Amino acid sequence: MAMLDRPVVEELVAEARLAPSVHNIQPTRWQRDGEALLVLADDTRQLPAADPSGHDVRLSHGAAIEGMSIALGRRGLRIGRIEIASGPNPVARLVVEAGGAPDSLAAAVATRMSWRGAFQPPDDETQGRLESLDSERDDLIVISQRDAVTAIADLGNRAAYHALCDDAQRRELLHWMRLRQGDAGNGRDGLDAEALALGRVEALGAAWVLGPLFPLLRRIGLAAPLTSDRAKTASGVIALFHRPAGEDPIETGQAFYRAWLTMERLRLAACPVSVLADWPEANRMLVAQHGVPTGRRLVNVFRLGVAAGAPSTRHVRLPVQELITEPSEMRSSAAR
Ligand SMILES: Cc1cc2nc3c(=O)[nH]c(=O)nc-3n(C[C@H](O)[C@H](O)[C@H](O)COP(=O)(O)O)c2cc1C
């Protein structure tokens, strides 16, 4: 029997889709190619304003590939070889073979979620887990000194405001937010109120603040305080995620997912604060102040800790059937 018959591919994709993707756009599609899997990009799912180079989308493909690798391991299979394609689509071809073993991070896949609430003050036990994280991953710099975390939270606020003042970025973010109950895409993709840790009233408020009211609020100086995430960031600990300069974002994405799963395995809730790495001014300051080694680039920044609240247990994801394409569909998608 073939290793990758349709029911197996469906099970694998059901697990691989739990990988994080930027704004939860879920750009990765899968197609069986004999005993290999083609990784395809749904090119209708991009972020031209927030991610004009496509870096974060490609990183998201890398995270999905790592998710697939972990899913294969659970079934005694593994990726024997990753062939990165030279063009944009397909993204890669994964040659699957027997001989895989369960991944040490497999148990963390089902429970890892973005935690966008505040954190409990770190106690000694949390401190111990943070030390384990720091020693397990040489691509993370963990910062827990309160004054340093507070300064990063302030910087994060400035970086976020800078991004929100860019009309195209703000509109794009709003497009992927599912703040009203009847929003198309609710429960399928994007960022809903529960994922954003917002109550229903807060969610409606956010839709107005980021939408039609933003220019007025900005003029009267209220946009910055109303969109501030500073307190949440300041309540946690910071981890700088850095990778070799020049690394393919696919590989970066694989490491990004593993770093986040390691946090989850250590029972540390986390959320990326991408603006801190994306805004050049913030990136330069963090690299200089926190000793990101030469030859490495600061890819992203996590805030993390023990959640002060109950994280959601619900993964908002597209149905598996929509993530698996047939060869004819791939051609039409590539031709779009
Ligand atoms: C490259 C990348 C950047 C991200 N940046 C942010 C961010 O700046 N803020 C945020 O709240 N979530 C960020 N996320 C988290 C995604 O929004 C999240 O993974 C997605 O909504 C799926 O939800 P889940 O992580 O709970 O499974 C990022 C994820 C990726 C892969």
Side-chain angles (χ1 to χ4, degrees):
M1 201 175 76
M3 281 189 296
L4 295 177
D5 56 13
R6 175 81 189 201
V8 172
V9 174
E10 286 179 8
E11 276 178 38
L12 292 166
V13 169
E15 185 173 338
R17 73 183 169 154
L18 300 182
S21 67
V22 59
H23 287 12
N24 202 20
I25 68 171
Q26 302 171 58
T28 309
R29 300 292 171 269
W30 303 92
Q31 190 180 111
R32 187 183 157 196
D33 179 22
E35 293 306 323
L37 287 167
L38 280 181
V39 182
L40 302 160
D42 178 339
D43 48 23
T44 63
R45 289 169 175 264
Q46 297 179 355
L47 298 172
D51 183 35
S53 70
H55 172 275
D56 280 3
V57 172
R58 196 165 169 84
L59 190 154
S60 302
H61 291 309
I65 290 173
E66 193 58 26
M68 180 55 76
S69 167
I70 296 171
L72 287 164
R74 218 189 273 282
R75 289 159 187 82
L77 301 172
R78 66 176 178 195
I79 300 175
R81 201 172 63 247
I82 301 185
E83 298 165 358
I84 307 268
S86 49
N89 216 359
V91 175
R93 184 168 176 272
L94 314 181
V95 179
V96 175
E97 57 187 39
D103 194 291
S104 59
L105 295 172
V109 168
T111 52
R112 185 214 57 83
M113 301 265 176
S114 298
W115 168 249
R116 298 195 178 84
F119 300 93
Q120 293 177 22
D123 57 12
D124 287 352
E125 215 236 294
T126 311
Q127 209 56 50
R129 292 190 228 160
L130 290 164
E131 277 159 29
S132 302
L133 178 67
D134 204 29
S135 60
E136 277 185 45
R137 299 261 353 155
D138 61 8
D139 51 12
L140 291 178
I141 297 172
V142 177
I143 302 164
S144 51
Q145 301 88 340
R146 292 330 306 161
D147 51 349
V149 172
T150 307
I152 294 173
D154 286 335
L155 188 61
N157 234 24
R158 284 173 50 210
Y161 187 61
H162 180 83
L164 287 178
C165 287
D166 179 315
D167 290 345
Q169 279 197 61
R170 199 177 63 257
R171 278 193 207 112
E172 188 177 80
L173 174 64
L174 209 49
H175 171 76
W176 286 100
M177 284 173 132
R178 314 283 178 233
L179 296 173
R180 294 186 179 88
Q181 279 194 317
D183 272 350
N186 249 342
R188 289 170 47 86
D189 59 11
L191 306 159
D192 66 12
E194 187 181 347
L196 293 167
L198 298 175
R200 271 177 64 188
V201 176
E202 283 175 307
L204 275 180
W208 281 95
V209 169
L210 293 176
L213 290 182
F214 193 89
L216 171 70
L217 293 170
R218 186 179 175 190
R219 269 198 307 279
I220 61 176
L222 278 179
L226 281 173
T227 55
S228 170
D229 231 10
R230 184 190 170 283
K232 289 179 184 174
T233 308
S235 68
V237 161
I238 297 292
L240 306 183
F241 174 67
H242 58 91
R243 296 292 302 173
E247 178 178 70
D248 189 315
I250 296 259
E251 212 178 312
T252 309
Q254 293 180 272
F256 179 83
Y257 192 21
R258 293 195 75 79
W260 199 342
L261 289 172
T262 307
M263 297 173 199
E264 178 64 23
R265 206 199 61 220
L266 292 164
R267 287 175 290 122
L268 294 164
C271 182
V273 189
S274 295
V275 284
L276 277 165
D278 293 347
W279 191 36
E281 195 173 318
N283 191 306
R284 267 195 303 275
M285 279 176 76
L286 292 171
V287 165
Q289 289 172 1
H290 298 284
V292 173
T294 314
R296 313 274 300 181
R297 69 188 178 99
L298 177 62
V299 177
N300 213 312
V301 176
F302 287 91
R303 62 177 189 224
L304 70 157
V306 173
S312 159
T313 52
R314 180 176 135 268
H315 296 280
V316 174
R317 292 296 187 273
L318 294 170
V320 169
Q321 305 294 345
E322 289 182 33
L323 301 174
I324 301 175
T325 69
E326 297 300 330
S328 54
E329 293 172 50
M330 182 205 142
R331 273 198 298 277
S332 60
S333 146
R336 256 203 305 268

